[in-house]
Amino acid sequence: MSVSALAASDAPAAAVAVRGSSVSFDKVTVAYRGAVVLKPMTLDIAAGEILALIGPSGSGKTTALRAVAGFVRPVSGRIRIGTTDVTDLPPYERGLGMVVQNYALFPHMRVEGNVAFGLHAQAAPKALVAERVADALRIVGMAPYAKRYPRELSGGQQQRVAIARALAVRPRVLLLDEPLSALDAQIRRSMVEEIARLHRDLPDLTILYVTHDQSEALTLADKIAIMKDGAISAHGATADLYRRPPNRFAAEFLGRANLLPVTVLHPGTSNGFATVRSGAVSLVAAGQDETAGTDRLLCVRPQHVTLTREDAQSNCIQGVLREVHWQGELTHLVLEIDGTPIRVVATRLPALPRPGTAIDLFFAPSDATLIVDDLNG
Ligand SMILES: Nc1ncnc2c1ncn2[C@@H]1O[C@H](COP(=O)(O)OP(=O)(O)OP(=O)(O)O)[C@@H](O)[C@H]1O
Ligand SMILES: [Mg+2]
């Protein structure tokens, strides 16, 4: 796919600011040779929002992005960008910029030529091209490199040029498909910060960011949609989704989670907390609309588990410490509760007791969430 194909046909002649547009999927279904890989997907992305589309390999992230770009045609459903139904529009009329993993720059063109490519394809006037290229390179911090060839740049610098190339056409929406996955971990982290800065400079730009790296998503995104088997299994504001994942797949995809099987004793009252039972212990956790007798998982993040009671309301689990595996920032414990070994991951355990010792683990009700075990029926 070329950037020329993505160049916005209706880009304003000399606007400085990007006009972001909302993107909406309305029951969008995609099939390849009859095999459905995107189940009817409904999702709204607000103008100026960074939405991270995350999920394991093969879950349909790229397919969803390609449907927005117009490189794959849905078998049913509609896609809107702003108020325009783009489902039947060719890619170059959708006003998008796109950067994919390993986006090969044209090796025989200097950086400035690469960035100008989409504008040339639009037959933009020379002065406008010069202005837009300079703008786009400045935004990604590559202005001093305009005369270089791609082979004279690092991988991270090449990806920044690819982003500048997508921005030069002043897209309404920027589609990024694993733009950093070819880079090593350290450069990736600094590039994530640069994309965050880019969005601060262009707050109206709507960004769909595909990744399977949850830390990139947590760092960058206003909202996250988690895909699984061609469908969205969770969607919400980033911090909410991390703090109150709806199901096990989302809880485990967004970071480490302690998951304790429990049974609901008293459903959530108006305050949004339910009382549950794990063996003989009763615990309180955030939970809405629960029904007594239902099996749930109680989810607590490792940083919320402590060895000392910090609050009178704290939940307490008592057990015998059987194993301690220290892993730097994380400590894995195996706790025996009523004869059953339970694995616990924690980050805040200063003085580690010896195996064989009885210990109490504490966590606040507000740090505990009842979730659905969608991976085990
Ligand atoms: N052109 C194609 N023809 C047939 N099947 C395809 C095609 N492109 C993708 N698929 C299938 O569609 C499903 C979703 O693929 P997609 O590329 O959207 O996954 P993804 O979530 O982007 O994965 P990854 O993280 O590996 O990039 C996969 O099962 C894949 O094999
Ligand atoms: Mg993909």
Side-chain angles (χ1 to χ4, degrees):
M1 65 194 81
S2 75
V3 165
S4 66
L6 290 163
S9 64
D10 60 346
V16 174
V18 169
R19 304 160 306 143
S21 287
S22 58
V23 177
S24 80
F25 292 78
D26 182 8
K27 301 194 195 85
V28 174
T29 308
V30 175
Y32 290 113
R33 279 175 246 108
V36 172
V37 298
L38 199 63
K39 296 168 188 165
M41 173 163 152
T42 295
L43 177 69
D44 290 313
I45 303 144
E49 179 176 309
I50 303 184
L51 175 97
L53 205 52
I54 68 175
S57 189
S59 57
K61 306 179 296 292
T62 294
T63 302
L65 215 66
R66 286 171 61 80
V68 177
F71 296 121
V72 61
R73 204 177 144 64
V75 289
S76 63
R78 309 304 298 177
I79 296 172
R80 282 179 202 82
I81 296 178
T83 52
T84 314
D85 185 326
V86 299
T87 320
D88 301 318
L89 289 183
Y92 56 87
E93 286 182 15
R94 297 189 180 202
L96 306 168
M98 187 161 178
V99 177
V100 298
Q101 176 187 6
N102 256 331
Y103 201 121
L105 298 171
F106 303 113
H108 59 287
M109 280 186 195
R110 294 178 195 275
V111 163
E112 58 188 5
N114 269 284
V115 176
F117 187 81
L119 295 161
H120 285 145
Q122 291 178 348
K126 226 174 166 180
L128 179 71
V129 173
E131 180 195 319
R132 291 276 189 88
V133 169
D135 253 14
L137 285 175
R138 183 180 46 73
I139 285 169
V140 300
M142 289 296 289
Y145 300 84
K147 301 288 179 203
R148 294 235 190 141
Y149 285 95
R151 63 174 179 274
E152 299 168 330
L153 302 175
S154 72
Q157 291 168 335
Q158 290 185 38
Q159 239 3 18
R160 277 191 254 172
V161 173
I163 292 170
R165 179 162 68 176
L167 290 176
V169 298
R170 296 275 155 84
R172 296 190 287 174
V173 178
L174 183 61
L175 306 176
L176 301 172
D177 191 355
E178 311 232 15
L180 310 182
S181 58
L183 307 174
D184 69 44
Q186 206 175 341
I187 297 171
R188 216 158 54 215
R189 268 197 296 281
S190 73
M191 285 291 293
V192 164
E193 284 162 20
E194 297 212 12
I195 294 171
R197 185 183 50 74
L198 172 88
H199 196 250
R200 282 198 295 279
D201 292 346
L202 303 173
D204 294 329
L205 183 65
T206 311
I207 301 180
L208 257 78
Y209 190 95
V210 167
T211 179
H212 53 245
D213 181 329
Q214 83 277 11
S215 72
E216 284 178 18
L218 290 171
T219 307
L220 274 178
D222 301 309
K223 289 195 175 173
I224 293 178
I226 305 179
M227 298 204 62
K228 179 181 172 230
D229 303 332
I232 292 176
S233 85
H235 173 229
T238 301
D240 293 347
L241 208 58
Y242 177 80
R243 202 172 140 75
R244 301 265 181 258
N247 53 46
R248 179 174 176 176
F249 188 73
E252 294 187 320
F253 209 87
L254 288 178
R256 299 272 189 168
N258 291 298
L259 301 171
L260 186 69
V262 295
T263 306
V264 177
L265 276 180
H266 303 297
T269 49
S270 54
N271 66 4
F273 287 89
T275 308
V276 298
R277 185 175 59 76
S278 162
V281 186
S282 109
L283 304 163
V284 178
Q288 303 279 354
D289 304 323
E290 298 292 349
T291 311
T294 312
D295 290 332
R296 286 280 180 255
L297 291 172
L298 183 151
C299 169
V300 193
R301 297 289 179 192
Q303 65 272 31
H304 296 137
V305 177
T306 59
L307 284 177
T308 48
R309 184 184 287 278
E310 295 185 340
D311 189 299
Q313 310 299 320
S314 286
N315 288 302
C316 177
I317 298 180
Q318 300 179 310
V320 177
L321 187 62
R322 286 299 171 207
E323 294 172 37
V324 178
H325 303 281
W326 182 77
Q327 290 189 352
E329 287 164 26
L330 281 177
T331 306
H332 292 246
L333 309 176
V334 178
L335 203 62
E336 192 181 306
I337 303 172
D338 297 336
T340 309
I342 306 266
R343 289 195 153 270
V344 179
V345 196
T347 52
R348 297 167 54 205
L349 302 183
L352 289 173
R354 284 178 195 288
T357 318
I359 61 165
D360 295 341
L361 291 181
F362 299 93
F363 54 92
S366 59
D367 292 326
T369 308
L370 298 181
I371 64 175
V372 174
D373 189 355
D374 56 338
L375 301 183
N376 278 321

